Every structure is written in structure tokens, then in C-alpha cells.
Amino acid sequence: MHWEGIIRHYARFFTPVPDDCVVTLLEGNTPLIPAPALARVIAPGTEIFLKYEGLNPTGSFKDRGMTMAVSMAKASGADSIICASTGNTSAAAAAYAARAGMKAFVLIPEGKIALGKLSQAMIHGAQVLQILGNFDDALSLVCEVSEKYPVTLVNSVNPYRIEGQKSGAFEVCDALGDAPTYHVLPVGNAGNITAYWAGYKAYHEVGKSARLPRMLGWQAEGSAPIVRGHAIAKPETVATAIRIGNPASWKSAEAARDESGGSIGMVSDAEILEAYKLVAETEGVFCEPASAASIAGVIKSSKQGLFSKGDSIVCTLTGHGLKDPDNAIAQSIAPVTMPPNMADVVRVLGFS
Ligand code: F0G
């Protein structure tokens, strides 16, 4: 069947969008990749699946929410959208605005977004403002601007963003035939854990799945306001996508955690980077550092004895590794530079 994007495919679960207002890049329908080698190493006896959101049109899960938010903005007659972002939201906003013939304004923390994401916002023609502050500063600014001026806010405080992102949970259930035992994902502004939980509940209510998963969210240690129980004024982490000190969906993330019988914990930058390399090396799946917080979380939970034999564990890999080439290069063995000489090549390759 021809894939038509999440709005048309899952129409019965969404606020109706007039057909001529649907702004889509055919997002969604991303693969749920079995990760048996990873499971053997980090949680023997379980089944691990990677929901590879890096294969969305702009390379992250944000496209699911952005197709809804921009379509509804178009339906309301808006001609511009605005967001704060650690990078991926701005990339998606810029692309969907281009598709819709709208103007995008994006506010990003200066020097703290991955290169690929910045290039996306720029090439799609967004007006990019680099704020000498962090994501939380940028988010307060765009909230205020959108209250006072005629521009539509497309951060996840816009309910259509969360609505669209529910489709990730629908796809997991469609692929597995039911919800998994655990759903694991990184937590930044906390919209995605909120959306997945809402999606699992919606599917369960209409009998499309028999059970509900436990939601396991993971923050980076230097940016873990939910775990620590207070906002963090100066969040830090190598996983710049989740470098957030005061998440907008804080309360609903806690509700997802509590209603599902799950947990929200934290992992160090070292643990995130180890998981980032491990999934790339053992499964051939390249995600960005923030995405690997979910894998790092599974490693941690497994060491604590959380999982039982036969558990199914789905990790959302939220963004593509190519978004952040600098970190990939920094974490890998440098290439060998050498003359075009057979003897030297075979020696370095270990054949002689
Ligand atoms: N992973 C990636 C790759 C992200 O870009 C984000 C959020 C998250 C995880 C966390 O998701 O915010 O729903 O809890 N990125 C936002 C942005 C903040 O601006 O691109 P969340």
C-alpha cells in the first residue's frame, strides 16, 4: 500500500484536518528494527527493538508532530510559525514551513546545536536566531512572541504536536501486534514520552492492543530536572538535543511514568556515549547521542535486574546519527592517512 503520511494513515485518531490543508513529507512508517546482538550483550533473554526515527524525512521523530502542527496552522490561515529548539524541532519546522509556503522563525541556543540540524534550518530558508542562552530561555521567548504577535507556536506546548507524535506508539503496536513490555526513550522537553503514552492508551482503548507498556524515560545527568525534582538553571550534556532544564511537558511526563508503572532516571554522558557507539557497532544503526540515552537506560536497568526473560523492549532512537557528525568523529578511531602504496596498505590492514 502507498504510504500517505501519518495524518491520512491514522486519521481516525486525530483531530480532523481538511484534506487540502494536509502538509506532509510522508513522515512516519519508520522501521522497528530487531536488535538481537544488542540484546545478547546488554539484556540477555529479552527482545530489543529499535524504533528508528532517524528515517523520518528530516531525520527525527519531530516530523510526526510537525505535520499535524503545520497542517492545523495552515487550516487556521497562519502564514508563519515559530519555535525554540535544540535543533531537531527547528529542522522539522523549517522543512514543513517550506512545504506549506510559510515562513519559519527558529530560536536556538548559540553554539549548542549539532551541525546537521543547523544546516537543515538554514537550507529550508528559516530565519534562524541564535540566542545567547539555553533552550529554556528560547522557549520562554517564543511563547511570549506567539502570544503577542500573529505567528503560530509549533513547540510541543502546541497540542497538535503531541497528537501527531502519538503515531509512533501506533506503529510499534502495528508492527508487534501488541504493545511491548517496556517502551524506553530519552526525555528532554518531555513531549515525546507524553505522546507515546497517550498513543498507547488510545490504541488500547479501541482494542488495537491488549496491553500497555511500562514507560521508561531517561534524562542526561547534567540535564535531569524531572529526576532531581527541580528545574536546572544551567543544563549541560553532550546530548545537546536533551540539554533542557525546565521541560514544558514535565507534569504529563510524570503522569506517563506513574500511570504506566514506569520510571524516569538519568544516565551520565559517558554512559550515553558508550551506548551510542555500542548500537552503531553491534547493530549497524547510527543514532544521535540523545537517542542513545534510551539504550544507556536499558543497560542501567538491566544491571539493576529490572528485566525478565521474554520481555520485549522498544527503544525509540529519536534522531539520525548524521545530524551530529562532530560527535561521531570525536568518538571514533581516526582514519589512517598514508601514501598510495600497496605494501603500506596491506601492512596497515594487517595482511602482511
Ligand atoms: N531526542 C532527540 C533527538 C531530540 O531532538 C529531542 C528533543 C528528544 C530526544 C527529547 O524529546 O523533548 O519530546 O522529550 N528535541 C527538541 C528540539 C527539544 O528542539 O529538537 P522531548
Side-chain angles (χ1 to χ4, degrees):
M1 195 187 76
H2 170 62
W3 180 257
E4 296 181 295
I6 62 135
I7 293 181
R8 294 195 172 110
H9 190 80
Y10 292 111
R12 65 181 278 216
F13 295 97
F14 296 138
T15 305
V17 182
D19 202 61
D20 59 341
C21 293
V22 173
V23 181
T24 179
L25 289 163
L26 308 187
E27 58 295 308
N29 196 24
T30 57
L32 187 68
I33 305 174
L38 190 66
R40 262 196 309 280
V41 178
I42 70 173
T46 69
E47 276 191 299
I48 297 182
F49 299 89
L50 309 172
K51 183 65 173 157
Y52 194 25
E53 291 291 272
L55 293 189
N56 275 298
T58 78
S60 88
F61 71 96
K62 304 288 180 178
D63 295 344
R64 297 179 182 277
M66 205 55 73
T67 185
M68 269 303 285
V70 173
S71 298
M72 295 308 281
K74 185 170 174 183
S76 74
D79 59 11
S80 63
I81 59 174
I82 191 167
C83 67
S85 183
T86 57
N88 281 323
T89 300
S90 62
Y96 282 81
R99 185 89 181 161
M102 289 183 197
K103 180 77 197 162
F105 305 105
V106 307
L107 275 65
I108 56 173
E110 197 268 336
K112 295 291 182 186
I113 88 166
L115 199 63
K117 305 175 188 180
L118 180 61
S119 74
Q120 289 178 287
M122 292 168 67
I123 196 72
H124 292 303
Q127 186 171 351
V128 181
L129 275 62
Q130 304 203 75
I131 300 299
L132 301 169
N134 58 35
F135 170 84
D136 305 286
D137 301 320
L139 184 60
S140 336
L141 285 164
V142 296
C143 287
E144 200 174 331
V145 170
S146 66
E147 269 164 30
K148 294 187 177 152
Y149 301 94
V151 55
T152 302
L153 184 63
V154 295
N155 278 106
S156 55
V157 291
N158 177 327
Y160 300 121
R161 278 278 314 279
I162 303 288
E163 224 184 288
Q165 286 175 210
K166 286 196 247 178
S167 58
F170 302 159
E171 290 178 14
V172 170
C173 295
D174 289 346
L176 295 179
D178 203 344
T181 323
Y182 292 96
H183 192 109
V184 194
L185 71 181
V187 174
N189 211 24
N192 213 28
I193 189 170
T194 302
Y196 264 96
W197 180 238
Y200 280 121
K201 283 196 297 186
Y203 240 38
H204 186 250
E205 266 162 34
V206 300
K208 290 272 232 178
S209 58
R211 61 181 183 185
L212 290 164
R214 290 174 189 257
M215 304 298 295
L216 306 179
W218 291 93
Q219 302 198 290
E221 261 178 22
S223 307
I226 299 177
V227 180
R228 297 187 191 278
H230 57 83
I232 307 292
K234 293 199 185 329
E236 281 306 340
T237 170
V238 66
T240 51
I242 52 172
R243 186 174 169 273
I244 293 175
N246 192 11
S249 300
W250 187 323
K251 288 285 163 267
S252 50
E254 287 181 336
R257 173 195 67 192
D258 298 342
E259 289 172 23
S260 73
S263 63
I264 296 178
M266 59 186 178
V267 279
S268 68
D269 279 6
E271 290 170 312
I272 289 172
L273 292 174
E274 188 195 324
Y276 170 64
K277 287 198 72 178
L278 186 68
V279 65
E281 288 174 356
T282 58
E283 295 292 358
V285 176
F286 188 22
C287 65
E288 61 173 288
S291 309
S294 59
I295 310 276
V298 172
I299 296 173
K300 194 162 192 169
S301 301
S302 182
K303 284 182 184 156
Q304 292 165 349
L306 179 70
F307 305 121
S308 308
K309 200 169 176 328
D311 280 349
S312 53
I313 304 168
V314 171
C315 296
T316 302
L317 297 185
T318 45
H320 203 291
L322 289 171
K323 295 267 191 179
D324 194 351
D326 294 327
N327 262 311
I329 289 168
Q331 295 307 316
S332 306
I333 298 166
V336 181
T337 304
M338 55 189 313
N341 171 321
M342 183 63 123
D344 287 331
V345 168
V346 292
R347 181 179 45 75
V348 171
L349 294 181
F351 289 125
S352 74

